[in-house]
Amino acid sequence: MDRDALKALIRQVIQDVQTPVIPIGISNRHIHLSQADYDHLFPHITLQRKKDLKQPGEFASEQFVTLVGPKNEITKVRLLGPLRKASQVEISMTDARTLGVNPPIVLSGHLETAVPITLKTEHAQLTLPCCIVAKRHIHVNAEDAPKLGVVDGETVAVRVGSEQRTTVFEDVMIRVSPSYVTEMHLDTDEANAAQVGNNTTATIIR
Amino acid sequence: MDRDALKALIRQVIQDVQTPVIPIGISNRHIHLSQADYDHLFPHITLQRKKDLKQPGEFASEQFVTLVGPKNEITKVRLLGPLRKASQVEISMTDARTLGVNPPIVLSGHLETAVPITLKTEHAQLTLPCCIVAKRHIHVNAEDAPKLGVVDGETVAVRVGSEQRTTVFEDVMIRVSPSYVTEMHLDTDEANAAQVGNNTTATIIR
């Protein structure tokens, strides 16, 4: 190896070492419910916490619903807590094809273009225009934002390294808050496409 | 916009226009069978061509099998023709999780590390170590190879542009043959992760 190639390699190693890595969280299909929709689907049943999620206050509950689309059903879709202002169903594009629906790719909470889906429990069912595919995003703790060199609302590219399916995800939205734990969220399609395990990390590239 | 920014933009547009685009083919889960395995699963039934595929000689048949894994079954998995030397099941990582199997990510035909899966029809069933997830690859017609600046066996990165999920796939293997039609193959996880439709195209980047 000549001197220039060696210098380039060392520079790359230093850059790799200095680039902060971001943990990845894989979001499986899930739902959020409003109090009114919860009471309808789970009458007189207490919302039960099963496991805390990484973002503070968020938890997986013991409750499930069945999603019913024009083509198929998907059973055992987990309800996340706490209850929210608006009900929301987050699925992958693979799920969307299974169900036969065509949801928009938007950030959580942006339900203006969400498509109708039917939620079913053993007690009741509801059809609501609340189905989306989550847009790629990174939750960034406010103290980490300057370290990562990012600001709220900006879009970045993230390189996710894996043994055989290294992938650069562009169009990743940065969300900064003092209450967030820094974590990139990918859905199951994205995670499988990039051969991501739960401990894989990612680096922001520009 | 200042003069330098404008020049950079124009350069980028020229580069985009000059870079050859590659059609993308989405591979849904499918199987290939050997003559012996076909005869076992479809006794005295003629292999029937339903639709030609883009690669010359390859076709979707009218025949289906059910895949049976430790966790679940997947029904209606299409058999592709013609029959091959060795049976092979190609699924997505999402399918692998559904079935409860852990197949390697390898190129078609590389079955040394393939995992066992059970194939079932109304007539018979077979358990064979033939289940893989396809490694990303591009079929390149020999005449197109110099235009794309690629050689057989090399690994490239491919940028797949979409409205909200632009993605760069690294680790994409180039396969060159005079008989290939130039086409990048992605599985359903990869296609969904990148918001690919059947008419989306891709460009090789390095």
Side-chain angles (χ1 to χ4, degrees):
Chain A
M1 188 181 288
D2 70 18
R3 191 183 161 86
D4 283 348
L6 186 62
K7 278 172 77 175
L9 180 64
I10 291 170
R11 271 198 206 97
Q12 185 60 52
V13 171
I14 290 170
Q15 197 189 325
D16 290 349
V17 168
Q18 288 181 336
T19 306
V21 295
I22 298 168
I24 296 176
I26 302 175
S27 297
N28 201 352
R29 65 180 80 101
H30 62 271
I31 72 160
H32 304 280
L33 289 177
S34 68
Q35 182 75 56
D37 294 340
Y38 180 84
D39 291 341
H40 186 80
L41 290 170
F42 298 98
H44 311 296
I45 295 165
T46 307
L47 176 63
Q48 253 187 304
R49 181 183 302 252
K50 179 189 164 74
K51 199 180 108 178
D52 284 338
L53 300 181
K54 206 162 170 190
Q55 297 304 317
E58 304 276 310
F59 60 92
S61 81
E62 295 284 1
Q63 276 71 36
F64 293 105
V65 301
T66 294
L67 300 182
V68 186
K71 270 180 67 183
N72 275 297
E73 296 189 357
I74 297 180
T75 61
K76 290 225 140 193
V77 179
R78 196 176 291 279
L79 171 64
L80 304 190
L83 299 178
R84 291 191 176 185
K85 272 190 203 161
S87 296
Q88 177 172 301
V89 169
E90 291 179 53
I91 60 174
S92 70
M93 294 291 293
T94 296
D95 295 335
R97 282 169 207 273
T98 300
L99 293 165
V101 294
N102 190 20
I105 299 172
V106 294
L107 283 176
S108 178
H110 292 246
L111 299 175
E112 300 80 7
T113 55
V115 298
I117 189 86
T118 298
L119 311 180
K120 196 172 74 174
T121 63
E122 54 180 326
H123 312 288
Q125 71 176 52
L126 270 177
T127 302
L128 299 167
C130 70
C131 182
I132 66 170
V133 172
K135 184 172 167 61
R136 296 168 186 164
H137 59 284
I138 307 180
H139 293 275
V140 180
N141 181 275
E143 288 192 10
D144 290 340
K147 294 178 206 163
L148 293 171
V150 295
V151 295
D152 186 53
E154 93 172 287
T155 295
V156 299
V158 179
R159 187 165 189 267
V160 175
S162 65
E163 213 180 313
Q164 298 188 84
R165 288 188 153 186
T166 292
T167 304
V168 177
F169 293 107
E170 302 187 15
D171 300 321
V172 181
M173 174 77 82
I174 298 290
R175 311 305 307 265
V176 179
S177 161
S179 69
Y180 287 155
V181 171
T182 298
E183 183 182 33
M184 180 179 190
H185 281 179
L186 292 175
D187 73 14
T188 47
D189 287 338
E190 293 167 326
N192 286 331
Q195 199 188 7
V196 173
N198 267 306
N199 295 318
T200 309
T201 52
T203 52
I204 293 176
I205 59 174
R206 282 153 204 279
Chain B
M1 186 180 290
D2 71 17
R3 190 182 161 85
D4 282 350
L6 185 63
K7 278 172 74 174
L9 180 64
I10 291 170
R11 269 199 208 96
Q12 185 60 52
V13 171
I14 290 170
Q15 196 189 326
D16 290 349
V17 167
Q18 287 181 338
T19 306
V21 294
I22 298 167
I24 296 176
I26 302 176
S27 296
N28 201 353
R29 66 180 78 100
H30 62 271
I31 72 162
H32 304 278
L33 289 177
S34 68
Q35 183 74 56
D37 294 339
Y38 180 84
D39 291 341
H40 185 80
L41 291 170
F42 298 98
H44 312 295
I45 296 165
T46 307
L47 176 63
Q48 254 188 304
R49 181 183 301 252
K50 177 188 165 74
K51 200 180 107 179
D52 284 338
L53 300 181
K54 206 163 172 189
Q55 297 305 317
E58 303 276 311
F59 59 92
S61 81
E62 295 283 0
Q63 275 70 37
F64 294 105
V65 301
T66 294
L67 300 181
V68 185
K71 270 180 67 181
N72 275 298
E73 295 189 359
I74 296 178
T75 60
K76 289 220 141 198
V77 178
R78 196 177 290 281
L79 172 63
L80 304 190
L83 298 178
R84 291 191 176 185
K85 271 190 206 163
S87 297
Q88 178 171 301
V89 169
E90 290 178 53
I91 61 175
S92 69
M93 294 291 293
T94 296
D95 294 335
R97 282 170 207 274
T98 300
L99 292 165
V101 293
N102 189 22
I105 299 172
V106 293
L107 283 176
S108 179
H110 292 247
L111 298 175
E112 299 80 8
T113 56
V115 298
I117 188 88
T118 299
L119 312 179
K120 197 173 73 176
T121 63
E122 55 180 323
H123 311 287
Q125 70 176 51
L126 269 178
T127 300
L128 300 168
C130 70
C131 182
I132 65 168
V133 172
K135 185 171 166 61
R136 297 168 184 164
H137 58 284
I138 306 179
H139 292 274
V140 180
N141 181 276
E143 287 193 10
D144 290 340
K147 295 178 205 161
L148 293 172
V150 295
V151 297
D152 186 54
E154 92 172 289
T155 296
V156 298
V158 179
R159 187 165 187 268
V160 175
S162 65
E163 214 180 312
Q164 297 188 84
R165 288 188 154 186
T166 292
T167 304
V168 177
F169 294 107
E170 303 187 14
D171 300 320
V172 181
M173 175 76 81
I174 298 290
R175 310 304 306 265
V176 179
S177 162
S179 69
Y180 287 156
V181 171
T182 298
E183 183 183 33
M184 180 181 190
H185 280 178
L186 291 176
D187 72 14
T188 46
D189 287 338
E190 294 167 326
N192 286 330
Q195 200 187 6
V196 172
N198 267 307
N199 295 317
T200 308
T201 52
T203 52
I204 292 175
I205 60 175
R206 278 150 209 280

